C-alpha cells in the first residue's frame, strides 16, 4: 500500500547527481531505524542487508539509484496536483515546487519512486539485499560498476 506522506517526504529530499548526500543520510537513518544492516562505501553507494540466507540460498536483490537529473537548489515542496497523463487523462500527480510559490521544480521521481518501491518490498520480505547507487545518471562506466557491485552483493 502506498503511503503518500512517506513518498512525499522521500521525494522532497534533493539528490542531484554528485550531491546525493542528503538522500544517503536520510536512507541510512531510515534503514537503521528499521534494524537493517547498512554499509555505505566511499562514493555513497548504500548496500543494505535484511535477514540471513544459508550458503545454498541467494538473497533477492533490489536496486534503485538515488540521484536525479533535476538541479535543485534548496528545498522542494511536494504537492498533489491534477495533471494530464500521456493518454490525455487527468490524474493525481505528485509534483515538486519551490516552497511557498507555484514555481515548478523537479522532485526526482526517477528514481526516488524506485527507491520508495524497494523500501516497501523490503518491508515485506524476511531476507533481502537492497542496493542504492549514487551518480547513476552520470555515465555508463559508473553504471557498469554499480551493476557489478550489485551482483556481487546479492550472492
Amino acid at each position: 500500500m502506498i503511503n503518500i506522506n512517506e513518498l512525499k517526504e522521500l521525494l522532497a529530499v534533493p539528490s542531484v547527481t554528485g550531491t546525493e548526500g542528503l538522500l544517503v543520510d536520510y536512507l541510512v537513518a531510515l534503514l537503521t531505524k528499521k534494524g537493517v544492516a547498512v554499509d555505505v562505501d566511499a562514493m555513497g553507494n548504500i548496500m543494505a542487508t535484511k535477514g540471513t540466507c544459508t550458503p545454498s540460498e541467494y538473497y533477492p536483490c533490489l536496486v534503485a539509484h538515488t540521484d536525479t537529473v533535476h538541479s535543485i537548489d534548496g528545498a522542494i515542496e511536494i504537492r498533489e496536483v491534477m495533471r494530464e497523463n500521456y493518454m490525455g487523462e487527468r490524474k493525481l500527480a505528485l509534483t515538486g515546487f519551490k516552497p511557498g510559490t507555484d514555481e515548478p521544480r523537479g522532485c526526482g521521481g526517477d528514481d526516488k519512486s524506485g527507491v520508495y518501491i524497494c523500501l516497501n518490498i523490503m518491508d515485506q520480505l524476511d531476507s533481502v539485499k537492497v542496493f542504492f547507487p549514487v551518480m547513476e545518471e552520470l555515465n555508463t562506466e559508473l553504471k557498469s560498476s554499480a551493476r557489478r557491485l550489485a551482483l556481487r552483493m546479492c550472492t
Side-chain angles (χ1 to χ4, degrees), residues 7 10-11 15 23 27 62-70 107-118 131-133 136-137:
L7 180 54
L10 178 66
L11 291 171
S15 61
L23 185 56
L27 291 171
L62 308 172
V63 179
H65 62 90
T66 56
D67 62 323
T68 66
V69 296
H70 298 111
C107 64
D110 172 12
D111 191 27
K112 286 189 246 177
S113 57
V115 170
Y116 179 81
I117 291 167
C118 287
F131 180 53
F132 295 121
E136 183 274 343
E137 301 287 358

Side-chain angles (χ1 to χ4, degrees), residues 31 60 88 101 109 119 142:
L31 293 164
T101 74
L119 292 169
L142 284 171

Side-chain angles (χ1 to χ4, degrees), residues 13-21 66-73 112 135 137:
V13 180
S15 61
V16 68
T17 301
T19 60
E20 300 95 330
T66 56
D67 62 323
T68 66
V69 296
H70 298 111
S71 182
I72 300 164
D73 57 342
K112 286 189 246 177
M135 293 195 279
E137 301 287 358

Side-chain angles (χ1 to χ4, degrees), residues 26-104:
Y26 173 89
L27 291 171
V28 168
L30 180 66
L31 293 164
T32 301
K33 183 178 176 182
K34 292 180 180 211
V36 175
V38 179
D39 184 36
V40 181
D41 69 13
M43 287 183 67
N45 297 305
I46 300 171
M47 292 141 291
T49 304
K50 178 183 175 187
T52 58
C53 284
T54 66
S56 64
E57 296 176 315
Y58 291 96
Y59 283 94
C61 185
L62 308 172
V63 179
H65 62 90
T66 56
D67 62 323
T68 66
V69 296
H70 298 111
S71 182
I72 300 164
D73 57 342
I76 308 165
E77 180 182 328
I78 305 298
R79 297 183 203 157
E80 297 176 33
V81 178
M82 294 301 290
R83 296 179 70 172
E84 192 171 296
N85 67 15
Y86 67 95
M87 295 178 64
E89 304 165 320
R90 291 195 50 81
K91 298 280 185 171
L92 184 67
L94 297 180
T95 305
F97 291 90
K98 183 175 183 176
T101 74
D102 287 331
E103 182 182 327

